[in-house]
Amino acid sequence: MMSKELRYSGSFTVNKPREEVMDLITDLSRAVECIPNVVNHEVLDRNKARVRFRVDLGDEVPIAELRRITTDATIEIVSAANDEVRYKVDGRAAGSAISILLMIRVLDKGGSSQIDWDATANLGKLLQMMGRFINIDSLVKKISEDTINGFINCLSR
Amino acid sequence: MGFDVVVVGGGVNGLFTALDLSLRGFKVLLLERGSVGSGTSGRMHGLLHSGARYVVTDPRAAVECIEENRIMARIAPHAIEDTGGYFVAIDKDDLDFQEEFISGLRRANIDFRIVDVGEALREEPNLNPEVKAVVEVPDKVVFARDLLFSVAISAYREGALIAQNMEVVGFELNGDKIASIKVKDGYTNDVRRVESDVVVNAAGPWAGHVASLAGVAVDVMPTMGVMVVYQRRLTKRVINRMRKPSDGDILVPYGSTSIMGTTAAIIEDPDSVSISDEDVEFLTSEGSQMVPLLAKINVIRAYASVRPLIKIPGVDTREATRDFMVIKHEKPSNMVTVIGGKFTTGRLVGERLSDEVAKMLGSAKPSITRDYKLFGANLYEDLGELDGSLRSLALSFRGSIDEDRGRVAVLTLLMGEVARDSRRRLGWL
Ligand SMILES: Cc1cc2nc3c(=O)[nH]c(=O)nc-3n(C[C@H](O)[C@H](O)[C@H](O)COP(=O)(O)OP(=O)(O)OC[C@H]3O[C@@H](n4cnc5c(N)ncnc54)[C@H](O)[C@@H]3O)c2cc1C
């Protein structure tokens, strides 16, 4: 079975200059602290961290143990240019592989910044199977949005 | 040979169903493809839930758990240790959950007590000294085999036959009814046929497969949970993390060991589970947040079992699987399937299934299992099933150094006799 690809994107503005946004999202040790649901993490080097998340699949999942599952992942900054950062997240959730490529582009809007993001998620076969019982699509979408929102909250602090 | 009811599956649900129906006077045969308890029921975590864990997310299941927790302690005192349980808040998120948790406990009518942290640490010296809040609840520990064998032997004493190593491999339909059940004998590989008015499908994670043998389309996805056994018992009580149910949040003191669980992973086949080092590492790291010493003592072993996620056309499993669901099929019209449940609610599942079956068979007799003391509560008084030499072997435990540890050994002897005699009476020798 081929792995399934899911894509999401979004855009918004923050009241911070582009440099400040870029500083945060290219500094993995700071950025990781902004991601919600991180239980613990370990920065491996400048561009790589190991992170444990607790992911909420929602109370409608009929098995209690499967509603909030712990996911171990590595997050890596694969490229960082002037106005664009790419993150790669490789992990395992509920015994299945998941990999997400997140691209964030920051446009200077004279004192504020526009952030365009684009996420592509690849789900392992078992997570795809789980899609028959749980809305995986909205789940991955929510995780992507939560992550971006986490960055924004950090920036507005 | 014909029966009123054939029960497929010798786990907690099937066994309590066989007992309940026998007590209502029906002629019952239970078929188990392996040994009694060889499925999920013999590989659970050992917790007789107080229901506290579910008060916020599944209040209905919580109420069922506390009621059954009290009933089980009454009908099977020998299989239960009344340890009590603590819910412990370790971090700020846990602490934030406390208020919701406590109002849930009140609503579900679960006795609880907010325990002073100092007192909790005196009571449970191995608890994380950083613990921020502690709530005590009536969690208990249930010894799986002791209970399962006791139910099986009780059912047999009430007239049910309990056949092991008998796998249901097919059904023959006549119109929209099951006319006969095809059973493969695991000892001889012969395929035999049994007739029964009603079939109860209590095959746990294999229930989807069994239903499909009868032509019912069900979508099943097995999920696996791992538990890790540590060499020492580190707490008197069950220790739960004070947060919404998740993976890695319960430590059960089981005999002289501690068992940490569980993980949650999707698998393809309920017959092939595999445990990785990461599972053990994860459970140890989560557990050691509650009881730090866990990280320092030896892991003896890890084991796993399976729960099914099931989808049936036309049935909203989301609503109904909390905590379990009894399904009466349109076709075959004489089959009932149960999905879900907990070890704790096995008796209740048996009662509900039996209510449905009794209705199908035109009987109004009610369930009496809630007041039925299980065999084993006075084990050594009554060993009638055993022949002379086995009986004296069993009795030799009494008053000896091994009386308590010997209980499951004696129940195993009896279980063997029950299965052997059931075969003999079926004529399947
Ligand atoms: C990891 C884990 C931990 C758990 N811990 C707890 C806990 O601490 N407390 C609690 O209350 N609950 C717990 N549960 C839940 C509880 O264990 C289950 O709900 C319960 O054991 C299910 O019982 P059952 O009879 O439905 O299934 P099972 O025990 O699996 O019984 C089904 C039986 O059917 C047999 N069978 C299958 N196919 C056939 C066939 N074709 N013919 C004949 N026989 C067949 C199998 O061999 C099996 O023995 C846990 C569950 C899991 C997965």
Side-chain angles (χ1 to χ4, degrees):
Chain A
M1 203 194 288
M2 288 282 293
S3 73
K4 189 181 173 191
E5 208 174 85
L6 303 168
R7 288 194 71 147
Y8 315 94
S9 57
S11 177
F12 41 81
T13 40
V14 281
N15 234 344
K16 296 280 163 174
R18 191 185 68 191
E19 293 71 39
E20 211 171 302
V21 178
M22 287 303 289
D23 278 355
L24 174 80
I25 63 177
T26 54
D27 181 349
L28 201 53
S29 59
R30 274 174 70 206
V32 162
E33 305 261 2
C34 301
I35 304 175
N37 306 320
V38 169
V39 190
N40 57 52
H41 70 273
E42 179 192 355
V43 178
L44 300 174
D45 64 43
R46 249 180 72 77
N47 291 322
K48 205 167 184 179
R50 219 191 332 253
V51 179
R52 173 168 286 174
F53 303 92
R54 184 153 294 116
V55 180
D56 200 330
L57 301 187
D59 283 343
E60 61 278 7
V61 175
I63 294 179
E65 289 67 22
L66 207 60
R67 292 193 195 134
R68 271 156 289 274
I69 50 174
T70 306
T71 300
D72 285 317
T74 56
I75 299 187
E76 195 178 353
I77 296 183
V78 284
S79 72
N82 211 6
D83 59 353
E84 188 190 288
V85 183
R86 283 168 193 257
Y87 283 93
K88 192 167 185 312
V89 183
D90 278 305
R92 290 183 74 74
S96 181
I98 177 164
S99 117
I100 299 177
L101 196 64
L102 176 64
M103 196 193 76
I104 304 175
R105 186 171 294 127
V106 186
L107 301 174
D108 195 351
K109 292 280 166 185
S112 62
S113 316
Q114 179 182 330
I115 301 180
D116 295 333
W117 63 274
D118 187 310
T120 310
N122 274 291
L123 304 182
K125 174 171 143 192
L126 291 169
L127 272 176
Q128 290 177 48
M129 277 169 53
M130 192 153 97
R132 303 202 305 267
F133 302 84
I134 292 162
N135 191 339
I136 299 280
D137 191 32
S138 71
L139 179 74
V140 180
K141 180 161 178 242
K142 184 171 168 294
I143 294 172
S144 308
E145 287 173 349
D146 285 354
T147 304
I148 301 287
N149 283 331
F151 290 156
I152 295 175
N153 284 339
C154 259
L155 283 165
S156 21
R157 254 180 231 154
Chain B
M1 211 171 176
F3 291 86
D4 296 327
V5 189
V6 161
V7 177
V8 186
V12 72
N13 288 341
L15 291 166
F16 267 113
T17 308
L19 173 63
D20 198 309
L21 288 166
S22 307
L23 287 168
R24 298 188 206 211
F26 295 112
K27 196 174 167 196
V28 179
L29 167 64
L30 182 144
L31 298 167
E32 161 57 50
R33 72 169 188 171
S35 305
V36 160
S38 61
T40 304
S41 300
R43 306 177 149 260
M44 38 82 80
H45 196 176
L47 176 56
L48 188 71
H49 284 280
S50 62
R53 182 168 198 243
Y54 301 107
V55 289
V56 171
T57 52
D58 313 62
R60 218 169 71 197
V63 170
E64 285 168 357
C65 281
I66 186 61
E67 286 173 7
E68 292 303 311
N69 171 295
R70 292 175 188 136
I71 293 172
M72 286 280 214
R74 213 167 56 221
I75 67 174
H78 61 293
I80 283 153
E81 184 185 345
D82 190 358
T83 55
Y86 276 173
F87 274 74
V88 298
I90 303 294
D91 60 21
K92 191 178 161 298
D93 285 353
D94 297 352
L95 209 51
D96 290 345
F97 181 64
Q98 187 179 10
E99 205 181 302
E100 214 182 343
F101 177 59
I102 285 176
S103 43
L105 289 168
R106 283 211 178 88
R107 268 196 310 274
N109 196 17
I110 296 172
D111 299 327
F112 70 93
R113 186 170 70 92
I114 297 170
V115 183
D116 168 71
V117 168
E119 181 196 330
L121 288 167
R122 276 193 302 279
E123 279 288 311
E124 297 289 358
N126 287 322
L127 213 55
N128 185 343
E130 305 286 304
V131 62
K132 296 189 165 53
V134 179
V135 175
E136 183 163 36
V137 299
D139 282 343
K140 300 178 174 67
V141 169
V142 56
F143 296 101
R145 282 298 191 302
D146 301 49
L147 186 91
L148 296 168
F149 290 166
S150 294
V151 185
I153 297 162
S154 302
Y156 167 84
R157 292 195 145 197
E158 299 301 337
L161 300 186
I162 311 285
Q164 301 190 123
N165 284 289
M166 292 290 178
E167 179 176 0
V168 171
V169 291
F171 296 102
E172 280 165 352
L173 269 69
N174 185 357
D176 55 7
K177 280 193 155 188
I178 292 172
S180 74
I181 303 146
K182 283 200 278 188
V183 186
K184 189 166 148 215
D185 185 330
Y187 296 127
T188 62
N189 282 331
D190 293 341
V191 174
R192 308 178 186 277
R193 276 181 175 69
V194 209
E195 284 173 13
S196 174
D197 291 341
V198 178
V199 174
V200 172
N201 173 9
W206 298 270
H209 173 69
V210 170
S212 74
L213 295 175
V216 182
V218 284
D219 195 0
V220 181
M221 196 177 69
T223 72
M224 174 190 72
V226 173
M227 284 136 293
V228 177
V229 186
Y230 301 84
Q231 196 173 22
R232 283 174 51 200
R233 175 170 181 152
L234 296 179
T235 59
K236 290 184 229 163
R237 296 169 181 77
V238 176
I239 309 293
N240 304 264
R241 188 79 182 252
M242 199 188 297
R243 64 183 180 207
K244 284 190 178 181
S246 71
D247 48 5
D249 58 0
I250 306 177
L251 181 70
V252 176
Y254 198 76
S256 61
T257 65
S258 302
I259 309 182
M260 182 65 206
T262 69
T263 61
I266 314 151
I267 54 173
E268 269 183 281
D269 175 3
D271 285 316
S272 72
V273 297
S274 72
I275 299 170
S276 68
D277 290 348
E278 284 89 68
D279 293 328
V280 176
E281 182 270 326
F282 164 70
L283 288 171
T284 304
S285 102
E286 288 292 306
S288 61
Q289 292 177 36
M290 302 192 289
V291 175
L293 201 52
L294 215 55
K296 299 218 171 65
I297 58 172
N298 289 342
V299 169
I300 314 179
R301 70 197 137 85
Y303 62 97
S305 59
V306 179
R307 297 182 173 88
L309 267 177
I310 298 196
K311 200 157 77 181
I312 296 172
V315 182
D316 184 356
T317 34
R318 288 198 209 172
E319 243 330 287
T321 31
R322 22 187 96 170
D323 169 49
F324 63 86
M325 172 164 62
V326 171
I327 301 161
K328 197 179 164 309
H329 303 278
E330 241 163 64
K331 185 185 174 186
S333 60
N334 58 342
M335 182 165 91
V336 201
T337 295
V338 62
I339 289 163
K342 305 188 197 315
F343 198 96
T344 307
T345 54
R347 190 213 62 86
L348 181 64
V349 169
E351 177 178 328
R352 296 273 166 78
L353 271 170
S354 303
D355 285 347
E356 196 61 49
V357 171
K359 223 186 318 167
M360 291 159 81
L361 293 171
S363 159
K365 272 211 174 139
S367 172
I368 58 167
T369 51
R370 66 172 57 230
D371 296 314
Y372 180 91
K373 187 143 275 167
L374 292 177
F375 176 83
N378 302 306
L379 180 60
Y380 296 103
E381 257 86 273
D382 196 2
L383 298 169
E385 280 74 20
L386 294 176
D387 71 24
S389 68
L390 289 180
R391 188 177 314 136
S392 62
L393 177 60
L395 278 172
S396 74
F397 282 109
R398 187 188 211 176
S400 80
I401 184 173
D402 287 317
E403 174 162 336
D404 312 304
R405 294 189 325 118
R407 180 179 296 113
V408 72
V410 173
L411 289 169
T412 307
L413 281 180
L414 282 156
M415 186 64 239
E417 287 300 298
V418 163
R420 205 182 345 258
D421 188 57
S422 297
R423 254 176 190 272
R424 191 179 54 73
R425 280 159 55 186
L426 282 161
W428 293 353
L429 287 168

